[in-house]
Amino acid sequence: MSLLTCENLSLGYEGRVILENLSFSVNSGDYLCILGENGSGKSTLVKTILGLRQQAAGQVRFGDGLKQREIGYLPQQTDLMRDFPASVWEIVLSGCENRCGMRPFYNREEKERAENALEKLEIANLKKRSYRELSGGQQQRVLLARALCASERLLLLDEPVAGLDPDAAAQMYRVTWELNTRDKMTILMVSHDMVCLSYATHVLHFGAEVFFGTKSAYQREFLK
């Protein structure tokens, strides 16, 4: 069943349309890689799916009981984010914020979710560390653990390996693949790195023409 359907979307910003009539759907268990050059609309699509930017036309629909606020999101890292003065535990636990409702505190269940996310991402030993003191790969795992606290079904990852060394990037790909295959998480990954094709089931490519389809169909058409 489709968790996410985008139908005839037109996307842009500052009055400029950069994509028109975009349609695709994501089913439970998919691993979708979103590829394209800088400025092609990848991050604009992410922000539209999350409700952070309004589409110029078209619809974004969620299915199978999924709500927009239940999407786990790992944003692109900025220099300001890398220097954020909080502990790993504080950042990971903040992924449960939408679950609190009007409560000004986290309950036992939410704290257990954060503990489980730390264990799953193999960073429980970093719990008391300052986020700003971690390596780039460790910081990305912390942000991914935070995203896991927000969602049990759909993760949206915006350039999660950007700026990482090859070993850290390979570890991030391994972790996302395990979340998809072992834990049945649906993954949407924005990337400029073609390595992500090794893990994808489907591809959305922004170029001279937009392609959406299975990985094998994309490889036949673009990687001859």
Side-chain angles (χ1 to χ4, degrees), residues 131-175:
Y131 178 79
R132 69 203 312 179
E133 297 173 354
L134 304 180
S135 69
Q138 289 171 329
Q139 287 186 341
Q140 288 297 77
R141 285 191 179 225
V142 171
L143 295 180
L144 185 53
R146 181 184 186 276
L148 280 176
C149 285
S151 180
E152 298 175 347
R153 304 170 69 189
L154 178 62
L155 294 177
L156 211 170
L157 315 178
D158 195 355
E159 299 282 6
V161 301
L164 300 185
D165 63 54
D167 286 344
Q171 291 173 14
M172 178 59 68
Y173 280 126
R174 177 183 63 80
V175 167

Side-chain angles (χ1 to χ4, degrees), residues 18-208:
I18 56 176
L19 272 173
E20 292 185 285
N21 299 318
L22 174 64
S23 296
F24 69 95
S25 61
V26 178
N27 293 328
S28 180
D30 284 353
Y31 192 131
L32 173 67
C33 281
I34 304 174
L35 303 172
E37 299 296 326
N38 289 339
S40 62
K42 304 188 301 296
S43 291
T44 301
L45 174 61
V46 167
K47 291 174 182 176
T48 302
I49 292 171
L50 293 169
L52 302 176
R53 179 167 286 164
Q54 182 63 41
Q55 63 266 32
Q59 290 185 317
V60 177
R61 298 196 305 272
F62 300 97
D64 198 21
L66 180 71
K67 297 179 175 60
Q68 190 175 55
R69 61 181 176 81
E70 295 173 338
I71 299 174
Y73 175 45
L74 191 160
Q76 287 190 45
Q77 278 262 55
T78 64
D79 289 340
L80 184 61
M81 289 171 62
R82 291 186 183 94
D83 200 39
F84 193 66
S87 71
V88 167
W89 175 246
E90 289 169 329
I91 289 175
V92 173
L93 188 57
S94 71
C96 295
E97 191 171 313
N98 281 340
R99 298 175 178 274
C100 292
M102 300 300 292
R103 280 187 284 109
F105 58 88
Y106 298 105
N107 62 25
R108 178 182 297 178
E109 180 182 351
E110 289 150 2
K111 291 177 181 178
E112 287 178 354
R113 285 185 66 86
E115 294 278 9
N116 290 337
L118 288 167
E119 293 287 348
K120 191 169 290 187
L121 273 297
E122 302 174 357
I123 52 173
N125 60 313
L126 304 178
K127 179 179 177 179
K128 296 181 180 180
R129 292 274 301 277
S130 171
Y131 178 79
R132 69 203 312 179
E133 297 173 354
L134 304 180
S135 69
Q138 289 171 329
Q139 287 186 341
Q140 288 297 77
R141 285 191 179 225
V142 171
L143 295 180
L144 185 53
R146 181 184 186 276
L148 280 176
C149 285
S151 180
E152 298 175 347
R153 304 170 69 189
L154 178 62
L155 294 177
L156 211 170
L157 315 178
D158 195 355
E159 299 282 6
V161 301
L164 300 185
D165 63 54
D167 286 344
Q171 291 173 14
M172 178 59 68
Y173 280 126
R174 177 183 63 80
V175 167
T176 59
W177 179 78
E178 288 177 350
L179 290 172
N180 178 249
T181 58
R182 180 193 63 199
D183 300 329
K184 310 306 180 186
M185 295 289 297
T186 303
I187 306 286
L188 275 68
M189 179 185 288
V190 173
S191 183
H192 64 275
D193 181 6
M194 298 297 284
V195 174
C196 70
L197 286 177
S198 299
Y199 306 91
T201 61
H202 294 75
V203 178
L204 176 62
H205 184 116
F206 297 154

